[in-house]
Amino acid sequence: MNIYEELQERGLIAQVTDEAEIKELINNGGARFYIGFDPTADSLHVGHFMALCLMKRLQMAGNRPVVLVGGGTGHIGDPSGRTDMRSMLTTEMINYNCERFKKQMERFIEFGEDKAIMVNNADWLLKLNYVELLREVGACFTVNNMLRAECYKQRMEKGLSFLEFNYMIMQGYDFYYLSENYGCNMQFGGNDQWSNMLAGTELIRKKTGKDAYAMTITLLLNSEGKKMGKTASGAVWLDENKTSPYDFYQYWRNVDDADVMKCIKMLTFIPMDEIRQMETWADNRINEKKEILAYELTKLVHGEEKAKTAQAQAKAAFGGSTENLPSKDIKVEVQTIIPVLVAAGICSSNGEARRLIQQGGVTLNETKVTDINAPVKSGDVIHKGKKVHIKINLL
């Protein structure tokens, strides 16, 4: 199977500009494509994961990735999918985040001569003269078309700053610059980026007469309709200091049943022949599928050894030995359940801990906690619902 057809079968392709041309380029290793990542935090998160996996698949098929970190566009902030304006970051914060991104991406993408390259749009965007940009680029955009874009529509009622209104022009200029200076002929991104990506293809065609192509990948959603990687407590990070390998494993182990095969197709590198076979499995093997998904993705992000440890910890949490469970060393003045829940980071406050106990959400070892003053001793295991399991070491 050619790579384009495989991407289709895996459910990754949402929209394309010129399918016949894109299919030929990708299948013959002729795509020099870019995906942009704005450094809005000091770690990539699971929301970036699909894009990284796509880049890896395409590179394995002979295509050349250009990884764009948005040191320039990060000063503005992409309004796509936002109900309010992003927090403004300092130049120092943006530069630090860019460096962090690069280190994490090296786990997925092979950089080097005739391989992938990384560029930072601060190198050209921050040098632009405003009047020159208006004359060279602004003349190629119409306000009418820009206001029809979905990324702007949802913000018009609450208010769209002129700063953010420029984001589409900046992203379009990125594609034009990369086409002229790095030979990029294709841009990839999530399907919420479609309007911005079309702006880039049209700018290139108007300015140079060259062909340029865009393809968006299907954003993976959970049953609540939130973007992949968002949980009640925030994002699921690829940095193990922000989301441990165990928590990362548990996130995927607990995806909704209806999403398991979709995630396996889109995110793992399990061959399609094996995936088709998995689709024939009986419904009572759903937990086996979830374990495969969680293990494969944890191995991809954190390595095989940490994936095996996370898997062992997860199994221990559900009736196995407590020896492999993740543990927390804590020090509390009163060794009872509420202060321990807060010190261990299971709850953010005494009030939250009290409510969780009253709602029946805390189990100590094998017993549901009903007493808010229940004693805790070193070696006890606290369970918060079905997803959080921590062995407590009291200092």
Side-chain angles (χ1 to χ4, degrees):
M1 183 187 300
N2 289 323
I3 183 63
Y4 187 84
E5 286 72 21
E6 181 178 344
L7 296 179
Q8 285 182 312
E9 186 171 1
R10 288 182 180 272
L12 286 166
I13 300 177
Q15 300 177 88
V16 297
T17 52
D18 308 84
E19 185 173 40
E21 291 83 353
I22 289 174
K23 183 187 295 187
E24 182 178 358
L25 278 170
I26 289 176
N27 285 342
N28 292 300
R32 190 170 178 86
F33 66 96
Y34 98 89
I35 300 180
F37 300 82
D38 274 346
T40 54
D42 60 0
S43 171
L44 296 164
H45 55 70
V46 171
H48 299 115
F49 196 43
M50 277 182 64
L52 293 170
C53 290
L54 177 65
M55 297 183 91
K56 184 178 179 70
R57 292 184 204 281
L58 291 170
Q59 186 176 48
M60 290 168 64
N63 298 284
R64 296 187 63 190
V66 176
V67 179
L68 173 69
V69 289
T73 43
H75 284 80
I76 298 175
D78 184 2
S80 299
R82 302 284 300 184
T83 57
D84 53 11
M85 187 170 163
R86 292 182 185 274
S87 300
M88 300 287 282
L89 300 177
T90 66
T91 300
E92 292 74 20
M93 293 168 65
I94 290 171
N95 291 340
Y96 175 76
N97 293 347
C98 286
E99 286 301 313
R100 298 283 298 162
F101 276 24
K102 182 176 181 181
K103 291 179 181 178
Q104 292 180 337
M105 288 176 182
E106 287 173 344
R107 304 179 198 164
F108 298 87
I109 312 302
E110 191 175 358
F111 292 95
E113 189 175 350
D114 296 327
K115 295 176 183 174
I117 61 170
M118 179 174 284
V119 295
N120 186 332
N121 63 15
D123 293 341
W124 57 87
L125 291 182
L126 299 186
K127 297 175 183 176
L128 286 173
N129 175 284
Y130 187 60
V131 174
E132 178 186 0
L133 176 68
L134 289 178
R135 289 175 61 88
E136 287 293 311
V137 181
C140 298
F141 290 81
T142 67
V143 172
N144 306 57
N145 284 338
M146 293 174 72
L147 291 178
R148 282 195 286 267
E150 285 299 323
C151 61
Y152 292 150
K153 276 183 182 179
Q154 60 187 352
R155 290 290 303 281
M156 292 302 291
E157 290 186 11
K158 287 196 172 183
L160 176 71
S161 71
F162 183 69
L163 176 72
E164 294 173 291
F165 189 62
N166 280 271
Y167 191 91
M168 181 183 290
I169 296 175
M170 296 292 96
Q171 186 168 333
Y173 186 80
D174 280 343
F175 197 4
Y176 168 66
Y177 185 92
L178 292 173
S179 172
E180 291 292 283
N181 294 274
Y182 293 93
C184 273
N185 53 21
M186 201 175 299
Q187 180 181 4
F188 290 88
N191 54 6
D192 60 336
Q193 291 286 308
W194 186 240
S195 298
N196 291 344
M197 293 164 67
L198 289 181
T201 61
E202 290 305 307
L203 178 61
I204 291 171
R205 288 169 178 172
K206 286 177 180 178
K207 295 287 292 180
T208 69
K210 296 178 184 177
D211 286 325
Y213 309 104
M215 184 177 96
T216 61
I217 54 179
T218 306
L219 289 177
L220 186 60
L221 303 175
N222 62 26
S223 61
E224 288 78 30
K226 298 176 182 177
K227 285 186 179 179
M228 179 181 67
K230 296 293 183 181
T231 68
S233 59
V236 177
W237 304 98
L238 303 192
D239 183 344
E240 66 178 273
N241 295 313
K242 297 169 79 71
T243 298
S244 71
Y246 171 76
D247 289 333
F248 188 85
Y249 180 97
Q250 283 293 86
Y251 173 78
W252 296 108
R253 176 63 181 78
N254 290 294
V255 298
D256 291 335
D257 292 0
D259 292 334
V260 175
M261 287 310 303
K262 185 192 303 183
C263 292
I264 287 174
K265 287 180 180 179
M266 289 182 168
L267 300 174
T268 76
F269 286 79
I270 298 172
M272 283 307 304
D273 287 344
E274 294 181 29
I275 291 176
R276 293 188 204 103
Q277 182 61 37
M278 291 174 65
E279 289 182 309
T280 69
W281 290 2
D283 291 345
N284 61 8
R285 298 182 69 181
I286 186 65
N287 286 328
E288 188 178 346
K289 292 178 182 179
K290 290 184 177 184
E291 288 174 0
I292 291 171
L293 171 67
Y295 178 80
E296 289 295 324
L297 298 189
T298 307
K299 181 174 70 172
L300 186 61
V301 173
H302 296 294
E304 187 171 11
E305 182 178 344
K306 291 179 180 176
K308 287 180 178 178
T309 300
Q311 187 177 60
Q313 291 173 337
K315 289 182 177 179
F318 294 95
S321 167
T322 63
E323 182 181 349
N324 292 315
L325 276 178
S327 62
K328 281 280 182 72
D329 295 334
I330 62 171
K331 187 174 183 179
V332 290
E333 291 184 8
V334 180
Q335 296 179 356
T336 55
I337 189 67
I338 287 181
V340 168
L341 285 170
V342 175
I346 298 172
C347 295
S348 59
S349 66
N350 289 347
E352 181 188 341
R354 184 186 298 269
R355 287 191 297 273
L356 187 65
I357 292 169
Q358 292 170 341
Q359 293 165 3
V362 178
T363 300
L364 185 62
N365 300 317
E366 304 301 323
T367 305
K368 186 80 71 176
V369 177
T370 57
D371 180 4
I372 60 173
N373 296 309
V376 179
K377 63 182 182 300
S378 195
D380 281 348
V381 176
I382 294 178
H383 306 268
K384 176 185 177 184
K386 296 181 179 180
K387 298 183 179 181
V388 177
H389 316 274
I390 296 176
K391 183 164 68 173
I392 300 300
N393 296 322
L394 296 173
L395 302 179

